[in-house]
Amino acid sequence: MFCQKCGNQIPEGAQFCTACGAPVQSQKHTAATWHRLGNFLLDVVGAIVFTWIVTFLLFILLAATSVTDSFFVIPLMLLLYSGTLYYIFFESIWQRTPGKWATGTKVVKLDGTKPGFWRIVGRSFSRLIPFEALSFLFGHYPYGWHDRISKTMVVPATHTVEEAASINPKDKGQNSVALIIFGLIIAALILIAIIGILSGIVLASLNSAREGAQEAHVRAQLSSLRLDAEMYAISTESYEGFCDAGNSLLISSKLDSSFEYECNDSAEEWAVLAAPTRGSRWCADSSGELREVNGALYGATQCPIY
């Protein structure tokens, strides 16, 4: 324990400082290692939720106004600094992030008073220093680079200004390297899980978009085949033979190898059904209709109605 007046180390059990004679008061400390770890883990999740909400609202706002597409880079840029904005927003207003509310802590200046806006900005951007989280591994107290650079500290929320100011910079509490390493591992697992979930959502969206594009492609090609069939009928005065070798090449050129197709014709009718490897089946025939179907043609020259 150290004297709150002169900083001299005081022997255990002493009631007065041996250097200046000041009475020994109950020593106050900064937040413990488990507090800082809890803040970190909870705020990882909080920053992600904050990012989703802010980005979603910005996209809605920009989409509802008459702005050029270049303005949509704004929410995309926010994604890069979402964690920093998260800390600036909460700590500059309340001195506490949701994580600090949960653990009952707050951020203060070394004199115990509320940090100003620009000090919080500096503290928040200091978190972007590569491997900044590892700075908690060094020293005898949980005090990271973003604390040192901004000259701030995290203390229990119950501390008054005077109590926080009485904390001796030489005695900010004991650190736990094992707990910090454990916390970093847990945080890494959380991030991996979140990235995995988001990747799954993106892949599902891409698959859905791919299927939609494939269906749009087959519908467009079947529509163009109707014109080919009419041109064939004008030249031959019949649809018969439209699906034979020569015209099958025409059909296969429009419906690439990713589609299976069936083509049937007669003198008065024709029908072509295309089945992509994934997605819906589509059918076009001489009636001029293009419809989604479930079955096959089975030799018919009209699209099935089911």
Side-chain angles (χ1 to χ4, degrees):
M1 183 163 47
F2 295 85
C3 177
Q4 297 179 15
K5 182 176 180 180
C6 67
N8 181 62
Q9 188 168 5
I10 301 173
E12 291 294 332
Q15 297 183 349
F16 296 92
C17 175
T18 56
C20 67
V24 176
Q25 299 179 6
S26 176
Q27 186 70 40
K28 300 296 182 181
H29 299 284
T30 57
T33 301
W34 74 268
H35 285 128
R36 303 302 300 269
L37 176 58
N39 294 343
F40 176 67
L41 295 178
L42 292 172
D43 286 332
V44 166
V45 179
I48 292 172
V49 174
F50 178 81
T51 300
W52 284 347
I53 294 174
V54 172
T55 304
F56 177 72
L57 293 177
L58 276 174
F59 269 121
I60 291 179
L61 177 63
L62 293 175
T65 57
S66 300
V67 297
T68 61
D69 292 342
S70 60
F71 278 84
F72 283 88
V73 74
I74 297 175
L76 296 179
M77 289 296 294
L78 282 177
L79 289 175
L80 299 176
Y81 298 100
S82 56
T84 303
L85 294 175
Y86 168 83
Y87 283 104
I88 292 174
F89 176 76
F90 284 103
E91 291 187 345
S92 64
I93 300 175
W94 297 288
Q95 298 178 254
R96 310 168 77 179
T97 58
K100 291 181 178 64
W101 261 304
T103 61
T105 56
K106 64 182 178 181
V107 59
V108 297
K109 294 182 357 182
L110 296 181
D111 63 3
T113 59
K114 179 181 178 180
F117 175 77
W118 291 111
R119 188 179 296 268
I120 292 297
V121 170
R123 172 184 168 87
S124 301
F125 274 97
S126 297
R127 297 175 186 271
L128 299 177
I129 297 174
F131 308 109
E132 193 274 338
L134 298 180
S135 64
F136 284 88
L137 296 174
F138 308 103
H140 297 292
Y141 45 85
Y143 204 55
W145 288 338
H146 66 275
D147 297 314
R148 292 183 176 91
I149 292 172
S150 62
K151 296 183 179 180
T152 56
M153 56 185 175
V154 177
V155 300
T158 55
H159 278 18
T160 63
V161 172
E162 293 76 17
E163 288 174 333
S166 70
I167 297 175
N168 193 302
K170 298 179 182 179
D171 185 28
K172 289 185 170 63
Q174 293 300 309
N175 205 357
S176 173
V177 173
L179 187 58
I180 291 173
I181 293 176
F182 174 76
L184 293 176
I185 293 173
I186 296 298
L189 292 176
I190 292 175
L191 288 175
I192 291 172
I194 291 173
I195 291 172
I197 293 171
L198 293 179
S199 298
I201 294 173
V202 170
L203 288 176
S205 300
L206 288 176
N207 287 334
S208 177
R210 187 180 297 112
E211 289 182 10
Q214 195 176 45
E215 288 191 7
H217 172 67
V218 71
R219 292 174 64 182
Q221 300 310 316
L222 285 175
S223 295
S224 68
L225 279 175
R226 288 184 293 186
L227 177 59
D228 296 335
E230 295 307 315
M231 296 294 292
Y232 177 83
I234 291 174
S235 61
T236 63
E237 298 183 351
S238 172
Y239 292 118
E240 189 171 4
F242 176 64
C243 294
D244 65 13
N247 292 293
S248 290
L249 292 176
L250 175 65
I251 294 172
S252 64
S253 68
K254 291 182 177 295
L255 300 173
D256 58 44
S257 59
S258 64
F259 298 93
E260 296 179 0
Y261 70 93
E262 180 184 355
C263 181
N264 302 316
D265 61 53
S266 66
E268 298 180 350
E269 294 178 329
W270 64 273
V272 177
L273 184 145
T277 53
R278 298 180 63 181
S280 304
R281 295 167 172 258
W282 292 88
C283 184
D285 59 23
S286 49
S287 68
E289 291 190 19
L290 174 64
R291 64 168 69 101
E292 183 179 356
V293 297
N294 294 322
L297 288 177
Y298 301 111
T301 54
Q302 290 184 342
C303 293
I305 60 175
Y306 52 87

